Amino acid sequence: MDVQRQISLIERNTVEIIHKHELARKIKQKGSLKVKFGVDPTTPDIHLGHSVILLKLRTFQDLGHKVILLIGDFTARIGDPSGRIKTRPSLSAEKIRINARTYKEQAFKILDPRKTEIMYNSKWLSKMNFSRVLKLASRYTVARMLERDDFYLRYKQNLPIGLHEFLYPLMQAYDSVALKADVEIGGTDQKFNLLLGRHIQKSYRQSPQVIITMPILEGLDGKEKMSKSLGNYIGITEPAREMYGKIMSIPDELIFRYFRLLTTFPETKINTLENQFRKGKLHPKEAKARLAFELVKFYHGEEEAKKEAETFETVFSRKEIPSEIPSYQINPEKIADGKMWVVELLKLTGLAKSGSEARRLIQQGGVRWDGEKIKSVDAMLSVNEEHILQVGKRRFLRIKQEEI
């Protein structure tokens, strides 16, 4: 493909490319580039916030470039200090290994496995002796390191900064040296680390990588960065029903941002929908339904998307109970006098992970029994016959006793 056409496709939705003319030159000279994306397996799941970058990597693959998914199994021992006001706790080697395997499996929902090389930075970082670490550390100054916003704020507020945290961006930069990366991609919060990669490559007499920064995606609240710890996320492996329902709950102002950053929907069609929306010709609910359908189709297939669209319309627009509800059979030994404590039932069925979560759901008005809202955490529920237990807007269970 023509170089300028490639640049145009790569540039879509990016925040910054440093530098575009270097990217064009590299494509002309090499044809196929090494595009690096590093991820530390500090949590087990990938959410839609991560997919913003993964989709851009897929664009590179579709253009014939080689993507290197770098699993930071060594750097995860420190943890990226970017945006942190305190030192991250260290992870065990076993936890890192489990998370890394999950990341790889989930990333292939977006990336083409045939055009992806999986690398682990322990391959070179674990072999560096102290002499080589000192040589690497000598290539950057403490003054420059303290220019980072997170380090600067912690320093000014007299908050501790571990010396090992200064090594993190240096190790990430050295990854680019080890891989001879042509391009590195990351979120805007990674700009310092990515630029350091360019600097360190130059000091090792390598051609500096082009860096591409992508937007940080807002979560379901429309305010904070999508994050599992904040509970405002949509996991890419979540059940189709959960995914569809969560997308239908996003603030109106996020609809077309999500369209652009999370789907492969053509820009011309997005612009058309957005114009209709702004003129009042497209209702927010209809726009969200279109978005939800596209995302569920991408991650779960078209049949699932159609099914969840129909279910959502049935449950929320017509206020009906969906036709397909999973069943849960209760062992009679757990029932006393035909009744069961609502908190215990929520825990038993897995609709609440703990008693405290069950109580919170009830107090927030999120639990219904045969359509009636449960108002007390002390409620005893009759389970002699078949009943419908509902938690929130999307989770239903058909409850009945196990036959003996």
Side-chain angles (χ1 to χ4, degrees):
M1 185 184 291
D2 172 75
V3 172
Q4 289 309 313
R5 175 62 179 152
Q6 286 198 49
I7 298 295
S8 177
L9 291 170
I10 291 168
E11 189 177 18
R12 184 190 176 205
N13 296 328
T14 62
V15 174
E16 194 172 13
I17 298 178
I18 303 175
H19 294 283
K20 203 185 302 184
H21 68 275
E22 291 181 12
L23 179 59
R25 187 181 69 243
K26 284 177 180 284
I27 293 174
K28 287 178 182 176
Q29 290 176 346
K30 297 188 174 185
S32 178
L33 304 181
K34 287 184 179 180
V35 184
K36 168 197 170 193
F37 172 52
V39 57
D40 285 347
T42 51
T43 57
D45 296 308
I46 290 176
H47 54 62
L48 290 184
H50 300 115
S51 75
V52 175
I53 292 174
L54 292 172
L55 285 166
K56 183 58 63 179
L57 292 171
R58 181 58 190 252
T59 297
F60 272 102
Q61 289 183 324
D62 292 341
L63 293 172
H65 302 288
K66 178 182 179 181
V67 164
I68 300 174
L69 180 60
L70 179 65
I71 305 293
D73 59 331
F74 195 90
T75 42
R77 300 179 190 182
I78 294 177
D80 188 356
S82 297
R84 295 279 166 168
I85 60 170
K86 61 182 181 180
T87 303
R88 282 178 179 266
S90 58
L91 293 176
S92 68
E94 177 63 13
K95 184 66 175 173
I96 291 171
R97 186 186 63 79
I98 293 171
N99 289 352
R101 185 173 64 241
T102 307
Y103 265 48
K104 185 168 66 173
E105 292 168 356
Q106 293 180 7
F108 286 151
K109 283 184 167 287
I110 299 172
L111 299 179
D112 184 342
R114 299 166 301 175
K115 300 177 182 178
T116 307
E117 184 174 3
I118 304 291
M119 300 288 285
Y120 297 84
N121 63 11
S122 60
K123 182 177 181 179
W124 48 85
L125 292 178
S126 64
K127 296 175 182 177
M128 291 183 75
N129 58 30
F130 203 65
S131 175
R132 290 178 65 191
V133 171
L134 288 175
K135 185 177 180 181
L136 174 61
S138 71
R139 297 170 188 264
Y140 212 64
T141 68
V142 171
R144 291 293 304 276
M145 199 67 79
L146 285 173
E147 290 175 3
R148 281 179 56 135
D149 289 343
D150 36 39
F151 286 155
Y152 176 79
L153 289 173
R154 285 161 69 179
Y155 180 70
K156 285 294 184 181
Q157 294 173 17
N158 201 29
L159 295 171
I161 304 171
L163 284 175
H164 68 294
E165 293 183 90
F166 279 173
L167 292 176
Y168 182 93
L170 284 170
M171 290 193 293
Q172 182 173 323
Y174 188 79
D175 290 341
S176 294
V177 174
L179 295 171
K180 296 183 173 64
D182 296 306
V183 178
E184 183 169 14
I185 188 169
T188 52
D189 58 344
Q190 290 292 309
K191 184 176 178 179
F192 182 95
N193 293 345
L194 303 179
L195 285 170
L196 184 53
R198 281 175 61 88
H199 176 88
I200 295 299
Q201 279 183 309
K202 287 179 185 177
S203 73
Y204 279 87
R205 300 182 183 279
Q206 287 186 12
S207 173
Q209 63 189 12
V210 171
I211 70 170
I212 297 177
T213 57
M214 298 298 296
I216 301 297
L217 187 73
E218 298 86 355
L220 298 173
D221 54 7
K223 298 175 183 178
E224 301 287 345
K225 169 184 175 181
M226 185 174 283
S227 165
K228 191 167 184 182
S229 62
L230 295 175
N232 65 351
Y233 72 102
I234 305 173
I236 68 171
T237 56
E238 283 191 21
R241 185 158 301 173
E242 283 289 303
M243 182 178 285
Y244 195 102
K246 283 185 176 182
I247 294 161
M248 292 299 293
S249 74
I250 66 172
D252 294 354
E253 58 268 23
L254 285 184
I255 296 171
F256 295 99
R257 182 165 172 80
Y258 272 38
F259 255 118
R260 289 190 170 90
L261 296 179
L262 302 179
T263 77
T264 56
F265 215 57
E267 184 68 24
T268 52
K269 290 187 178 181
I270 295 174
N271 289 336
T272 299
L273 291 174
E274 190 169 20
N275 287 334
Q276 291 174 348
F277 179 82
R278 295 190 187 285
K279 292 176 181 177
K281 296 179 180 179
L282 179 66
H283 193 278
K285 178 177 173 291
E286 189 180 343
K288 290 178 192 178
R290 188 69 177 268
L291 173 64
F293 183 88
E294 289 299 321
L295 284 168
V296 173
K297 182 175 78 169
F298 186 86
Y299 290 104
H300 295 280
E302 189 166 2
E303 286 304 311
E304 282 293 307
K306 287 178 180 177
K307 186 174 98 174
E308 296 313 323
E310 291 172 3
T311 298
F312 190 89
E313 182 66 21
T314 299
V315 176
F316 299 103
S317 297
R318 302 176 195 161
K319 304 296 182 183
E320 298 174 14
I321 295 173
S323 57
E324 293 184 23
I325 299 176
S327 295
Y328 189 94
Q329 295 187 342
I330 302 174
N331 188 320
E333 294 180 2
K334 296 184 178 293
I335 302 170
D337 298 325
K339 293 185 177 182
M340 192 167 185
W341 182 30
V342 60
V343 170
E344 191 62 36
L345 181 59
L346 288 168
K347 286 168 53 184
L348 181 66
T349 57
L351 291 173
K353 295 178 182 177
S354 63
S356 59
E357 183 185 5
R359 288 182 175 86
R360 178 176 57 78
L361 289 168
I362 295 165
Q363 290 164 350
Q364 291 175 348
V367 180
R368 291 179 180 270
W369 184 250
D370 290 335
E372 294 293 324
K373 188 180 294 184
I374 302 295
K375 297 179 180 179
S376 171
V377 296
D378 298 318
M380 299 296 293
L381 304 177
S382 174
V383 288
N384 285 331
E385 300 175 358
E386 186 174 284
H387 301 271
I388 301 296
L389 177 61
Q390 178 183 351
V391 173
K393 295 180 179 180
R394 296 179 289 274
R395 292 187 289 171
F396 293 83
L397 271 184
R398 198 179 301 277
I399 303 295
K400 55 185 176 180
Q401 284 193 43
E402 191 177 82
E403 295 182 7
I404 299 176

